[in-house]
Amino acid sequence: MNPKKLLDYFDVAPKQSLGQNFLADPGALAHIVDIAEVGPDDVVLEIGAGTGALTRHLAGAAKRVIAVEVDSRLIPILQEQIASFPNVVLVEADILEVNAGELMQTLAGTETFQVVANLPYYITAAILRRLLENPPRPTRLTLTVQREVAERLAAQPGDMSLLAVSVQFYGRVRVAHRIKAGAFWPTPGVDSAVVRIDTYTDGPPVPVDDERQFFRVVRAGFGQKRKQIKNALAGGLGLEARAVVEALERAGVAPSRRAETLSLAEWTALTAALREHL
Ligand code: SAM
């Protein structure tokens, strides 16, 4: 049954504050499961199960699905929708309050899992941060997000952001598929895209001795928008301009560049050049 009919039947109104735009297009749901390459040995964490449309597609392909949903009004709907799938465990929780690794270990007996989700837009960045910064990381994440966010995640030097650097540090990002706004109910104001992030199992793609220092430098660089990197770093790290310019030159980064133009490798070189001052 489509989400509108289901919600009407259970007399539940969608809550915009929880990012409730339900995917109503069966073709798009099947395509997401294909992009995620979910197979019979896979354990999947689904975030924001909603009315269970994606959950059911996942359950048909995966070994086990742990489906997390924060809205208690949707739990009876979900229970009914997944009743014929014994491989689904439903968890009523706020994903930002749970430790995903512990949850998977407890409910699926493994810390090897992937994430598939049509994410509530308002907490996309917070969820990504939580899942990527805290091991055990998912092996891959297949996420339906606002199209503009998908493009930001996959950005190249020239259009980088703190979010893009943070995500690309942990995984290879690719925008796999676009989904028109009309595929959702209620229809959001913007199109969406499915983005797949394959996390690096052997560490980041660039050599980083100290992850904390790396992110301190990146955060400082992006801290003052549209400023030249030398000013952003001096301000953000509380350093003298002369020391920053010297480090930039040693790292081969022109002091007049802006943070959004730097590659991951350049951020790494810059962190190394600044080390004595951090
Ligand atoms: N998976 C469904 C689908 O594809 O139609 C629903 C997707 S809807 C965009 C996002 C879902 O995430 C909603 O059901 C919402 O209640 C849920 N949600 C919002 N914030 C959440 C949170 N902090 N933790 C868990 N679920 C959340």
Side-chain angles (χ1 to χ4, degrees), residues 21-102:
N21 299 100
F22 302 100
L23 193 45
D25 177 340
L29 290 162
H31 201 50
I32 290 171
V33 178
D34 283 349
I35 291 167
E37 293 180 280
V38 177
D41 294 329
D42 288 329
V43 171
V44 178
L45 169 63
E46 188 197 1
I47 300 166
T51 58
L54 182 57
T55 320
R56 288 164 61 100
H57 274 78
L58 291 168
K63 179 175 170 196
R64 189 166 276 255
V65 179
I66 311 301
V68 177
E69 173 54 57
V70 74
D71 188 348
S72 57
R73 304 172 313 153
L74 300 179
I75 300 298
I77 305 182
L78 277 164
Q79 277 165 341
E80 190 208 71
Q81 290 297 302
I82 61 164
S84 57
F85 293 96
N87 60 339
V88 179
V89 182
L90 187 58
V91 180
E92 182 184 339
D94 178 341
I95 193 64
L96 296 180
E97 300 288 323
V98 300
N99 176 310
E102 272 173 24

Side-chain angles (χ1 to χ4, degrees), residues 112-180:
T112 304
F113 65 101
Q114 60 161 303
V115 170
V116 182
N118 173 13
L119 281 188
Y121 296 143
Y122 73 111
I123 47 169
T124 299
I127 289 177
L128 277 168
R129 234 185 346 256
R130 201 172 166 84
L131 290 173
L132 291 174
E133 285 174 11
N134 301 301
R137 294 183 188 94
T139 50
R140 57 177 175 268
L141 303 93
T142 305
L143 308 173
T144 304
V145 296
Q146 283 183 349
R147 192 175 134 186
E148 183 217 319
V149 174
E151 281 159 9
R152 271 182 62 208
L153 293 174
Q156 295 295 310
D159 293 310
M160 295 297 280
S161 60
L162 178 58
L163 182 66
V165 174
S166 308
V167 172
Q168 291 176 24
F169 182 78
Y170 293 110
R172 195 160 36 84
V173 182
R174 118 184 124 86
V175 180
H177 181 59
R178 302 240 168 106
I179 304 182
K180 288 267 173 224

